[in-house]
């Protein structure tokens, strides 16, 4: 997970004018945990002795760094809130030993309850933050702290295994998390002079190093650079199957305890767990929360964003400017939402239950559910004469079922994997360079004679085979413009499957060479209006580095495998094996 800042937005108005105070107090506090460890925090609160509801932000990234630029704590304090910025256990101001995610359930409970009993607190506590500061909110909720009244976990998962092993493949960019953001403070605490002690020089050093060398290092379990200060990385690698071992980072069995509403936010180009986390979190809240009030006040927002901070002027991501509507005043919306929950009789959010931004049209739509019940999955079948990987103009997408067609064949060499240049912060960009690779099969529709809206989950329903006992398959949906540019409509890390997990991530089943397998690749989401004159394209390949470790194709234990073998992979599309992409089409707006 890459470092994420709170979404910082500029707002000139507040909902609760009576509670505004231009004078606020900044305090430094230590919050005791049940085992005696104390967590360092910064508190902002309105001047005076009145009681106010509280808002908590817990982060591993350093509250001092955050406090240097963040506007939200000051805005919220001036609107009548206490705001606690807390370093999680073992980080910067806080005592103890940091182990990613391990202590966030009980520490989250302890922080919320201590804050709720603060002499200046009304007893109502809200939480906010995205990415790591987002998932810690879900983890705290799993402990059902009595004073928690609202949570806003953005751009974050609700589960654990699919966070680390999306589609069964290991999420490789943890290297780009530990190295610049975590190890510096650990070296400082150990008085270790072998590297920088602060995030900024650590980030600069890491970004100027030969990172591809480390992403190519084998075996994965022996990579030396994290051995000293990140033992959890190797623990994650040693538990590739979903199991009870991952429960320390999982809340999917806890929704029946969630009595507080949540404000969920993610983007089409967020890290793959973001849109999936929003879907799971929203639907589980709607079905399983025991509180009708929590269900009524829960909100969900999906925009054209990546894993990043937002503001009203930020409308361009990668190569696409999504227009004025893409700017989002998150601070204002969050404060209005808090007002309706944490302050009795004060305002409240005017956001619809579900807010969806449709790209291409560049407009917001108000909905009541996600995915949309009125969407209809339309099949676009794959066609070619067997050369969709070598001839980029041959592969076709159409609503017509295939007949006698040769499979498309390519050689996937894990020593030369597909490389996404946007991996640090996914964004839309012209995919033609990626599509030109010899291990990428491309399928394109005819020019559209009318607009077509696709909104929801994308599903690749494929018939595939391989010369190897295990390999990977992935797909990407693109909007092809009249000038030929091919823009991806979701992050490239979405829509991925490791074949040994084709029948579930709780067990492994190797393939028989040359046998044809029917698979469905899920967990990719978008909302896009394909304009008249555009074309629909998908491409299929067998790696997405460095999002995931390239499959060695050997069928052995991946974490300890040193040998990488090429695999000959095939995509079948004939009358018995009608491979297709299922697109959720919206016909009535």
């Amino acid at each position: 997970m890459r470092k994420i800042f709170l979404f910082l937005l500029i707002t000139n108005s507040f909902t609760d004018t009576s509670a505004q105070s231009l004078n606020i107090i900044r305090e430094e506090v230590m919050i005791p945990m049940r085992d005696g460890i104390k967590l360092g925090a910064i508190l902002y609160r309105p001047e005076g002795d009145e009681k106010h509801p509280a808002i908590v932000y817990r982060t591993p990234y350093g509250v001092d760094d955050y406090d240097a630029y963040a506007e939200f704590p000051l805005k919220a304090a001036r609107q009548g809130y206490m705001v606690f910025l807390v370093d999680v256990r073992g980080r910067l101001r806080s005592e103890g030993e940091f182990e990613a995610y391990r202590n966030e359930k009980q520490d989250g409970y302890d922080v919320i309850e201590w804050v709720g009993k603060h002499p200046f607190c009304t007893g109502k506590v809200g939480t906010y933050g995205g990415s790591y500061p987002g998932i810690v909110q879900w983890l705290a909720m799993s402990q059902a702290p009595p004073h928690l009244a609202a949570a806003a976990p953005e751009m974050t998962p609700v589960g654990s295994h699919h966070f680390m092993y999306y589609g069964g493949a290991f999420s490789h960019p943890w290297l780009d998390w530990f190295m610049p953001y975590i190890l510096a403070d650990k070296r400082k605490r150990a008085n270790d002079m072998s590297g920088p002690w602060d995030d900024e020089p650590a980030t600069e050093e890491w970004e100027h190093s030969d990172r591809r060398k480390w992403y190519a290092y084998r075996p994965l379990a022996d990579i030396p650079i994290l051995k000293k200060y990140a033992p959890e990385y190797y623990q994650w690698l040693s538990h590739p199957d979903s199991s009870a071992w991952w429960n320390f980072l999982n809340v999917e069995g806890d929704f029946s305890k969630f009595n507080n509403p949540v404000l969920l936010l993610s983007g089409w180009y967020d890290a793959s767990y973001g849109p999936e986390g929003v879907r799971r979190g929203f639907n589980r809240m709607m079905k399983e929360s025991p509180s009708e009030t929590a269900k009524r006040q829960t909100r969900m927002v999906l925009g054209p964003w990546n894993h990043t901070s937002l503001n009203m002027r930020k409308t361009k991501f990668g190569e696409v400017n999504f227009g004025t509507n893409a700017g989002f005043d998150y601070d204002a919306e969050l404060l209005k939402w808090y007002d309706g929950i944490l302050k009795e009789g004060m305002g409240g959010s005017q956001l619809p239950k579900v807010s969806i931004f449709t790209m291409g049209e560049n407009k917001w739509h108000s909905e009541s559910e996600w995915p949309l019940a009125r969407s209809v999955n339309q099949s676009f079948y794959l066609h070619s004469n067997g050369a969709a990987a070598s001839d980029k103009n041959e592969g076709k997408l159409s609503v017509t079922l295939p007949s006698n067609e040769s499979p498309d064949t390519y050689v996937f060499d894990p020593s030369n994997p597909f490389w996404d240049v946007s991996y640090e912060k996914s964004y839309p960009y012209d995919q033609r360079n990626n599509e030109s690779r010899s291990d990428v099969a491309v399928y394109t529709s005819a020019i559209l004679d009318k607009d077509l809206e696709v909104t929801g989950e994308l599903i690749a329903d494929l018939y595939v085979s391989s010369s190897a006992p295990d390999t990977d398959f992935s797909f990407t949906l693109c909007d092809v413009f009249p000038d030929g540019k091919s823009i991806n409509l979701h992050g490239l890390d979405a829509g991925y499957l490791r074949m040994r997990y084709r029948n579930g991530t709780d067990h492994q089943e190797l393939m028989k060479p040359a046998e044809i397998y029917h698979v469905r690749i899920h967990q990719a989401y978008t909302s896009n209006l394909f304009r008249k004159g555009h074309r629909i394209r998908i491409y299929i390949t067998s790696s997405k580095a460095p999002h995931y470790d390239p499959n060695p194709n050997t069928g052995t234990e991946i974490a300890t495998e040193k040998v990488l073998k090429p695999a000959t992979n095939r995509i079948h599309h004939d009358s018995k094996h009608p491979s297709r992409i299922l697109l959720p089409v919206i016909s009535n707006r």
Side-chain angles (χ1 to χ4, degrees), residues 405-451:
E405 299 179 8
S406 299
D408 290 304
T409 302
Y410 59 83
V411 175
F412 159 50
D413 182 356
S415 66
N416 180 31
F418 177 112
W419 187 274
D420 176 19
V421 298
S422 78
Y423 81 93
E424 290 178 288
K425 195 164 286 185
S426 291
Y427 51 76
Y429 67 101
D430 193 341
Q431 296 295 302
R432 283 178 289 184
N433 186 57
N434 291 333
E435 294 164 0
S436 69
R437 289 176 57 102
S438 62
D439 57 358
V440 176
V442 178
Y443 305 88
T444 309
S445 75
I447 295 173
L448 298 176
D449 59 8
K450 62 180 179 180
D451 292 350

Side-chain angles (χ1 to χ4, degrees), residues 230-251:
E232 58 266 53
Y233 180 82
Y234 305 93
Q235 294 170 10
W236 301 342
L237 277 171
S238 66
H239 291 84
D241 302 345
S242 57
S243 68
W245 185 86
W246 290 98
N247 286 348
F248 73 95
L249 184 51
N250 193 22
V251 302

Side-chain angles (χ1 to χ4, degrees), residues 142-379:
S142 73
Q143 307 303 294
H147 288 92
L148 182 62
E154 300 95 31
M155 297 188 174
T156 198
V158 297
S160 50
H161 186 266
H162 82 275
F163 183 25
M164 309 295 187
Y165 285 91
Y166 205 80
F170 185 63
S171 180
H172 223 175
W174 286 105
L175 291 179
D176 276 281
W177 187 73
F178 280 108
M179 290 300 294
Y181 304 133
I182 303 302
L183 267 59
D185 185 60
K186 287 207 170 192
R187 283 191 292 263
K188 182 177 182 180
R189 288 169 181 256
N191 199 30
D192 180 351
M193 304 294 290
S194 63
W197 285 10
D198 297 303
D199 284 1
E200 187 172 345
T203 299
E204 185 175 355
E205 179 181 87
W206 173 246
E207 290 180 348
H208 286 87
S209 69
D210 182 9
R211 287 184 280 177
R212 285 208 183 196
K213 173 185 72 174
W214 297 117
Y215 277 114
Y217 192 93
R218 292 297 182 276
L220 298 175
D222 284 345
I223 189 169
I225 54 177
L226 300 180
K227 288 279 188 180
K228 190 171 184 179
Y229 292 120
E232 58 266 53
Y233 180 82
Y234 305 93
Q235 294 170 10
W236 301 342
L237 277 171
S238 66
H239 291 84
D241 302 345
S242 57
S243 68
W245 185 86
W246 290 98
N247 286 348
F248 73 95
L249 184 51
N250 193 22
V251 302
E252 296 203 68
D254 297 311
F255 279 83
S256 62
K257 298 184 287 187
F258 294 171
N259 286 295
N260 59 276
V262 292
L263 174 59
L264 305 173
L265 181 144
S266 185
W268 305 127
Y269 299 96
D270 190 7
S272 55
Y273 52 75
E276 177 68 14
V278 163
R279 182 190 69 82
R280 294 191 192 192
F282 180 80
N283 287 307
R284 298 291 293 275
M285 284 294 296
M286 292 300 100
K287 293 177 182 177
E288 299 176 39
S289 172
S291 168
E292 292 303 318
T293 299
K295 292 178 181 178
R296 185 175 66 254
Q297 293 176 320
T298 289
R299 296 290 184 271
M300 193 199 90
V301 181
L302 277 167
W305 313 308
N306 55 10
H307 202 66
T308 187
S309 56
L310 302 175
N311 59 57
M312 286 297 289
R313 291 289 182 179
K314 193 164 187 177
T315 62
K316 186 176 188 294
F317 296 88
E319 297 180 16
V320 180
N321 192 322
F322 292 104
T324 303
N325 291 331
F328 191 72
D329 197 341
Y330 185 76
D331 281 11
E333 296 296 343
L334 181 58
L335 286 170
K336 285 188 287 187
W337 184 73
Y338 280 143
D339 284 348
I341 301 166
L342 302 181
K343 295 181 179 180
E344 293 183 8
M346 293 304 305
S349 176
Q350 299 302 307
L351 287 172
K353 193 72 176 176
V354 173
S355 299
I356 300 294
F357 187 93
T358 300
M359 301 179 291
E361 183 184 24
N362 292 346
K363 290 184 178 180
W364 287 97
H365 294 284
S366 300
E367 305 290 349
S368 59
E369 68 212 359
W370 180 251
L372 306 184
R374 69 179 184 280
S375 67
V376 177
N377 276 339
Q378 184 168 339
S379 296

Side-chain angles (χ1 to χ4, degrees), residues 550-562:
N551 198 319
N553 297 324
T554 58
T556 55
E557 183 180 351
I558 289 176
T560 58
E561 179 61 83
K562 295 181 180 180

